[in-house]
Amino acid sequence: GFFILKNEKCPVKLEDLSFELQQLYILKSEYNKGLGKQLFNNAIEISKKKSKKYLWLYVSDTNNKAIFFYKNIGFNKIGIGKDINVGTQKLTSSIMTYKIQ
């Protein structure tokens, strides 16, 4: 698995500094082993070292597994995201944020 953090400004105003969690992927064969949570915790530690107070991301509105995962670890939907192109499909998305403690 892997994740990508980007120093991008959230399209919805946040009260403090943030990173975009652009990708957090786990091989399907490795689902349900806690790896997603481990990667997320690594992203939080990096964000803390860089004095970020929030993580934010776009998630496809049709990706129920990802939405469930992000809600389960504490993300909240705060707005409508950009359209995401996957092959020839155009998917809607939501913006979700996580406040780093």
Side-chain angles (χ1 to χ4, degrees):
F2 69 93
F3 65 87
I4 296 173
L5 290 175
K6 292 187 83 176
N7 196 23
E8 294 287 333
K9 190 173 181 176
C10 183
V12 175
K13 186 171 172 62
L14 295 174
E15 62 192 51
D16 221 323
L17 300 172
S18 64
F19 269 147
E20 178 185 5
L21 180 59
Q22 189 174 45
Q23 297 176 341
L24 192 154
Y25 287 113
I26 304 292
L27 290 173
K28 196 170 194 167
S29 63
E30 302 303 311
Y31 282 5
N32 301 313
K33 295 182 180 179
L35 296 174
K37 181 73 171 163
Q38 287 178 353
L39 287 173
F40 174 70
N41 288 336
N42 289 342
I44 292 296
E45 290 307 312
I46 291 167
S47 299
K48 284 180 179 179
K49 287 178 183 174
K50 297 293 185 179
S51 301
K52 302 298 183 179
K53 302 297 181 191
Y54 287 90
L55 288 178
W56 68 274
L57 55 83
Y58 293 108
V59 62
S60 167
D61 292 327
T62 61
N63 192 342
N64 294 324
K65 190 168 187 76
I67 292 167
F68 177 79
F69 172 77
Y70 291 125
K71 283 183 177 179
N72 197 39
I73 59 175
F75 276 82
N76 295 301
K77 180 179 174 180
I78 64 164
I80 297 169
K82 63 183 180 181
D83 288 340
I84 300 170
N85 294 315
V86 179
T88 59
Q89 287 185 306
K90 187 175 278 192
L91 306 174
T92 60
S93 72
S94 295
I95 299 169
M96 298 182 81
T97 61
Y98 178 88
K99 185 171 172 86
I100 298 169
Q101 303 298 327

